Amino acid sequence: MLTPERHELILQLLKQHSVVKIQELIDITNTSESTIRRDLTQLEQEGFLKRVHGGAARLQGKIKEPSMSEKAFKNLQEKKMIAAFAANLVEDGDSIYLDAGSTITEMLPLLKNRDIVVVTNGLMHLPSLLEARIQTFLTGGYVKEKTNALVGRGAILSLDNYRFDKCFMGVNGIHPEYGYTTPDQEEAMVKSKALALSREAFFLADDSKFSEVYFSKIADLHDASIITNSLDEEVNDLYSRKTSIKVVKE
C-alpha cells in the first residue's frame, strides 16, 4: 500500500472511530510498526491527528469551548496530581496569578493559609480563596459566562498594575509548532498578558491537551514550562526539546 493510500485510510478510520490503535493499523495495512509510527508522526505534524498512547486520536474543533461544568469532572484524578505538583512550587512571599481553569481550581485547597498574594480572573476561584484566607485581587473585565472568566480590555488593563513571581495557566491545546492555544481570543489575550508579567510561567495540562490546536494562540512553547501527568516517551522527547516539561506520576 502506498503512503498516500495509508494516510487516507488512517484519516477515514479516525472519522469513524475517533481513536485508532497502532496494532489495528498494522493489521489493516499489512505494514510494519515503524512505518505506521512514521505515518502518524507525519500526519500529526501536518495537523490531521494527534498521537496518543498506543495509537492516534481525531483532533477536536478549533473553536469548540467546553463549559466549566463539562471541564470540572474530566480527567479529574490527573488534574489533582498536576495541581498538587504546581501548588508545591508556590513559596511563602510569592505573588502569583491564577488563571480561570478547572485544573487551577484543584490547586486552591493546597494553598490554604499560605503567606501569598493571588491575582485571578477566575470568578469560580473566589469562594475557595476567601475560605483559605489568601489575600486576593480580582481583575477587571467582563464575565464570560461559559467559563466564569473575566476577560476583555478591562481585564488586560488591570493586569498592568501587577507583577508576578509565578503564573499558573490552564490551556486547551499544546502543539510543538503552534504553541499554547485556546478557542477564545479574549481569553488568549488575558493569558498572554499575565504570562508576560510573570517571572516564571507554568501551563497545567493533562495529556489529552497535547497536539491539539485551537483558534487563538497564547504563546510559543518556550515561553512557559509545562506540568502534565503522562506522555508517550516519543512525545515527551519532542516537547522536551522545545521547553521545560515535568511529567507528574503517582
Side-chain angles (χ1 to χ4, degrees), residues 176-248:
E177 298 300 326
Y178 305 119
Y180 307 101
T181 56
T182 195
D184 184 79
Q185 185 181 33
E186 298 276 9
E187 290 209 42
M189 292 171 66
V190 175
K191 291 174 189 284
S192 181
K193 181 70 173 181
L195 189 154
L197 296 170
S198 299
R199 180 167 51 84
E200 296 181 84
F202 303 91
F203 278 94
L204 281 55
D206 64 72
D207 57 305
S208 69
K209 308 294 180 64
F210 285 82
S211 296
E212 293 285 352
V213 180
Y214 285 80
F215 177 66
S216 298
K217 182 175 179 178
I218 302 166
D220 291 320
L221 208 61
H222 65 262
D223 289 328
S225 299
I226 301 169
I227 306 172
T228 189
N229 61 292
S230 174
L231 284 182
D232 181 88
E233 184 177 348
E234 185 179 345
V235 176
N236 189 24
D237 289 343
L238 172 62
Y239 283 89
S240 295
R241 290 196 294 267
K242 294 176 178 287
T243 193
S244 171
I245 182 165
K246 174 61 182 179
V247 178
V248 183

Side-chain angles (χ1 to χ4, degrees), residues 10-11 13-15 17-25 36-37 39-41 43-44 48-59 211:
I10 291 168
L11 295 177
L13 289 169
L14 280 174
K15 285 182 180 179
H17 304 293
S18 297
V19 176
V20 292
K21 298 294 186 182
I22 288 176
Q23 189 58 53
E24 293 177 79
L25 297 174
I36 291 299
R37 287 188 179 275
D39 288 340
L40 297 182
T41 298
L43 289 169
E44 181 178 49
F48 290 110
L49 55 78
K50 71 170 182 173
R51 299 286 301 277
V52 295
H53 185 67
R58 185 169 59 189
L59 293 173
S211 296

Side-chain angles (χ1 to χ4, degrees), residues 6 15 23 59 69 93 95 98 100 102-105 114 128 130 149 165-166 180 190-191 198 225 227 240 248-249:
R6 288 197 310 275
K15 285 182 180 179
Q23 189 58 53
L59 293 173
S69 59
S95 60
L98 297 180
S102 56
T103 307
I104 308 301
T105 301
R114 299 293 294 274
S128 296
L130 293 174
D165 294 301
K166 303 177 179 81
Y180 307 101
V190 175
K191 291 174 189 284
S198 299
S225 299
I227 306 172
S240 295
V248 183
K249 297 180 180 180

